[in-house]
Amino acid sequence: MQDNRCATSEEVALLRERVARVEGGHDHLRDGLDTLSRQFSDLRRDLTHSVAENAARTRHEIMARVDDMSRDAQNRDAEVSDRLARIEGGIRLANWAMLTCITLATGLLGWEQMGSAVWRFLLSVTRFSS
């Protein structure tokens, strides 16, 4: 059997001192965890804010580049359209000139044939009458 022994007041005081130190360490750890938790929350907030700012800046830069590319494409389209319009105008002018030349040549050939026929007729009439 075991003897039940009572602690002396010195042992109780020593035990209370140890418990107080453990509780103080526990409080210190809790304060440290609270501080770490706040720091982590601040870091998460700062990171979220930084990521949002970077995303907004990146979006702005991308949209500016897209606008520049669109502007360049519109300028190229306008240049191509102007060139095509000039080419089309040149083709129309060439077609008009060609049609005019063909019409004049056809008309002149027709008048020449009519003149030749009249001349032959007159020659045949003068021969016939003589």
Side-chain angles (χ1 to χ4, degrees), residues 39-106:
Q39 288 174 347
F40 181 74
S41 293
D42 293 344
L43 177 64
R44 185 176 59 218
R45 182 196 65 228
D46 293 345
L47 284 174
T48 301
H49 182 69
S50 178
V51 166
E53 283 180 353
N54 286 338
R57 186 172 33 256
T58 301
R59 259 192 316 275
H60 183 267
E61 290 173 3
I62 288 172
M63 292 311 295
R65 288 180 186 166
V66 167
D67 289 342
D68 290 343
M69 290 169 61
S70 295
R71 200 173 309 112
D72 290 344
Q74 286 175 350
N75 290 339
R76 281 193 304 270
D77 288 349
E79 288 176 18
V80 168
S81 293
D82 289 344
R83 288 180 185 170
L84 286 175
R86 284 194 302 263
I87 290 170
E88 189 176 90
I91 290 172
R92 284 184 183 163
L93 179 63
N95 284 343
W96 181 84
M98 181 73 75
L99 183 61
T100 302
C101 288
I102 290 172
T103 303
L104 287 174
T106 304

Side-chain angles (χ1 to χ4, degrees), residues 114-128:
M114 285 186 351
S116 180
V118 168
W119 182 253
R120 278 191 224 121
F121 175 72
L122 289 176
L123 282 178
S124 67
V125 170
T126 54
R127 280 190 199 148
F128 182 69

